[in-house]
Amino acid sequence: MTVAEGTYDQPMHRTIELTIPPHLTDSLQAELTSLEEVIGLTLQRGASLKPAGDVLIVHVLNRGADEVLRRVQTAVPKAELSAVTSEATSFISPDSHHVIRGDRDEAIWEEMESGLRHQGRITVNYLLLMALGGVIAAVGLVSEPVPQAVAFVASAIIAPGFDSMTTVALALVLRRWDLLGRALASAGAGYAALMLAAAATSALLVGVGEMDAQMLAGNAEVQHLAHPRWMELLVAAAGALAGVVMLAAFRRSFQAGPLIAMAFIPAAALVGAGLAVGRPDLAWEGLQRFGADWGFILVLGAPFLWLKQRFLHRRQPLV
């Protein structure tokens, strides 16, 4: 790749580092060199010690990353392949200027799955953040409108509850049943922690005289959670699809918007709060709203990801 006076283009591009057996290097590098979307290709023979082999460093546009990986999958047995992907801030190549300008924003399956797995892994940090989101949302359920809005927005951003749900949709589309099992376990553990924390918080507020069943049931936003109008459901549905689109477009930094548009964090907190104040009817209504928002992610997100697989990616992940 010639580095010279040129154009800095967005979105971010890809660098794929491949470690392969030496006897497959020549044929694969010839395949990759022929791709217009490959802007740069570096070969380091015998450079990798673990696993042992040659290293190919591929600088490729987003729109060519899947084709690179398709050719790698065809040329190299999975057991003999190691791959690392990363973002390249810009490609500067006057000879390829017209190609670089036409790049697009897409995440490859491996990056999307890795990000979702990282955010939804059952760890102490994950469970603690879910629980803290439940604490804040429970306080918001009986707050005045302004602090309530702050609490709901904060809880939606703090609690990493979107990723495990989206992983379920991704696993169904890719038919990755092991991934599906981990996603369901993550969602179950995370939301159990959130609901328990919301219940404990509500019990504490009842104990100090700052909350009771009537205050919870009479809060206007609780009524909206329990009996959502069509406009509120439409906002949640749009937020669910927007969140999946952002993940597929490698735009995680904008993820807060869809989380705020949806109501599954305060709805899950209502489950715990309703049980804590002796109102199982409110808990049931909160569970219904929680299920509706998750349903939006599955019903809208899964078809969107299927279309991505059918017409764009057209391959299974390397794993």
Side-chain angles (χ1 to χ4, degrees):
M1 179 173 61
T2 302
V3 179
E5 182 180 358
T7 300
Y8 292 80
D9 290 278
Q10 293 294 334
M12 300 296 184
H13 314 298
R14 292 283 168 273
T15 295
I16 303 175
E17 183 175 313
L18 304 166
T19 301
I20 59 176
H23 68 278
L24 299 175
T25 300
D26 290 340
S27 59
L28 181 58
Q29 65 90 13
E31 285 274 330
L32 299 183
T33 301
S34 67
L35 294 177
E36 182 183 48
E37 295 83 4
V38 172
I39 305 302
L41 184 64
T42 302
L43 170 59
Q44 299 174 342
R45 293 193 181 274
S48 179
L49 300 178
K50 183 180 181 181
D54 294 344
V55 175
L56 276 171
I57 301 174
V58 188
H59 298 296
V60 61
L61 302 180
N62 286 331
R63 60 190 174 91
D66 280 299
E67 182 59 30
V68 166
L69 294 175
R70 271 193 293 272
R71 298 197 182 198
V72 170
Q73 285 176 308
T74 301
V76 184
K78 285 185 178 181
E80 300 181 85
L81 172 67
S82 176
V84 177
T85 70
S86 59
E87 292 181 60
T89 304
S90 67
F91 287 166
I92 311 167
S93 180
D95 290 342
S96 303
H97 171 79
H98 66 289
V99 180
I100 296 173
R101 285 179 62 86
D103 203 10
R104 61 191 176 208
D105 55 339
E106 291 292 343
I108 58 176
W109 289 136
E110 290 82 0
E111 290 170 338
M112 188 174 175
E113 180 182 334
S114 178
L116 290 171
R117 183 172 62 247
H118 172 73
Q119 297 295 332
R121 188 184 300 275
I122 302 176
T123 64
V124 173
N125 293 331
Y126 168 71
L127 295 175
L128 183 58
L129 287 173
M130 290 294 287
L132 290 172
V135 170
I136 295 170
V139 173
L141 290 173
V142 290
S143 297
E144 296 296 321
V146 172
Q148 181 177 71
V150 172
F152 284 175
V153 168
S155 65
I157 296 173
I158 289 171
F162 185 81
D163 298 270
S164 57
M165 295 180 174
T166 308
T167 306
V168 171
L170 179 64
L172 290 172
V173 169
L174 298 180
R175 300 181 182 181
R176 293 281 309 284
W177 311 127
D178 58 329
L179 182 63
L180 177 63
R182 291 196 302 270
L184 291 173
S186 174
Y191 281 100
L194 189 151
M195 292 175 188
L196 287 172
T201 302
S202 299
L204 174 63
L205 293 176
V206 169
V208 298
E210 294 192 9
M211 177 180 179
D212 56 33
Q214 184 175 356
M215 287 178 62
L216 180 64
N219 188 280
E221 189 57 33
V222 169
Q223 289 301 311
H224 288 160
L225 288 172
H227 308 287
R229 295 172 295 177
W230 279 104
M231 66 177 66
E232 292 161 341
L233 293 175
L234 181 60
V235 169
L241 182 55
V244 178
V245 172
M246 287 179 178
L247 288 171
F250 213 69
R251 295 173 179 264
R252 294 191 67 93
S253 57
F254 300 99
Q255 198 71 45
L259 299 179
I260 295 169
M262 303 181 73
F264 52 82
I265 299 299
L270 181 58
V271 176
L275 294 175
V277 300
R279 289 291 303 269
D281 57 319
L282 289 178
W284 173 242
E285 289 170 337
L287 187 61
Q288 288 179 306
R289 179 61 195 273
F290 173 79
D293 277 22
W294 194 354
F296 289 140
I297 295 176
L298 294 178
V299 172
L300 299 175
F304 172 78
L305 294 174
W306 181 86
L307 290 172
K308 287 282 188 182
Q309 173 70 323
R310 177 68 177 81
F311 297 106
L312 178 65
H313 299 296
R314 303 191 307 276
R315 65 179 184 86
Q316 287 296 312
L318 287 175
V319 293

